[in-house]
Amino acid sequence: YKMFFEPSVTDKGLQNFYKDCDGKNWPKQFSFRWDAEDICAWDNNEKLHPSPWGTRCISNNIFHKSPPVGDGGLLFLDHASGHAKGKVPREFQAFQATNYIGLSGNLLEGTIWNTSFHTSLFRLDLSRNQFSGELGEDFMQRNVEHAEIINLGYNNFEGKLPSKLLYPRLMISACSTLRCIKSSPSSPEN
C-alpha cells in the first residue's frame, strides 16, 4: 500500500464524482464549484479556490501539509440527497485523512471503492443507495479503531459483515427491507 496519494488524485476523485455521477444535473445548491479545474486549494488560498459545496479541503498550513508529505487533503464530503447517480470513482481511496463521507439518499450503484486506505474516517454514511457486492475483509482495514458510525443500510450488499467491524465502540448498520444486521457496543448482532 502507498501511504499517501498525490493531491491530484484527490482532485481527480472529486472531479470524477461530479462527471461520473451526473453532476451537470444536480440541483444548483449541490453543484457550486464542482466543475472547477482545481477542486482543493492546495496553495492554501481558499478565497481564490473555495471548496465545492459539501466539501472542505485542508492543506499547506502548519499542521496539515499536502500529500505525500503530510495528511492534508479532503477533510469531509457531504453530498446526502444530492441527486448523484452512477458509480463512485475508485479515486475515493485517496481520501485517506477524510473524517466524514456522507453520500446517503442518492442513486449511487456498483461496488464501494477500496476503503482500506482510509485512516481517519469517523463516519461513513452510504445508506439509501443502490450499492452492491460483498464487503471484503479489508473493508475499512486501517480505520476500524477510529470509526464511530458506518451506515450501509438500504443497499444491495451480499454476504456477511467483515469480522473487523465488530469493534467494541463502532456502531454499524447494514439494514435493508428484508434483513437488518446491526452492531453496537450494547448489541453485537441483531
Side-chain angles (χ1 to χ4, degrees), residues 4-7 60 63-72:
F4 290 104
F5 290 88
E6 294 292 327
N60 281 343
F63 301 109
H64 301 283
K65 299 291 182 194
S66 291
V69 175
D71 67 350

Side-chain angles (χ1 to χ4, degrees), residues 91-113:
E91 291 88 4
F92 270 40
Q93 68 186 358
F95 302 165
Q96 292 170 275
T98 304
N99 292 325
Y100 170 62
I101 297 177
L103 299 174
S104 66
N106 287 288
L107 295 172
L108 300 171
E109 61 188 25
T111 57
I112 298 177
W113 64 94

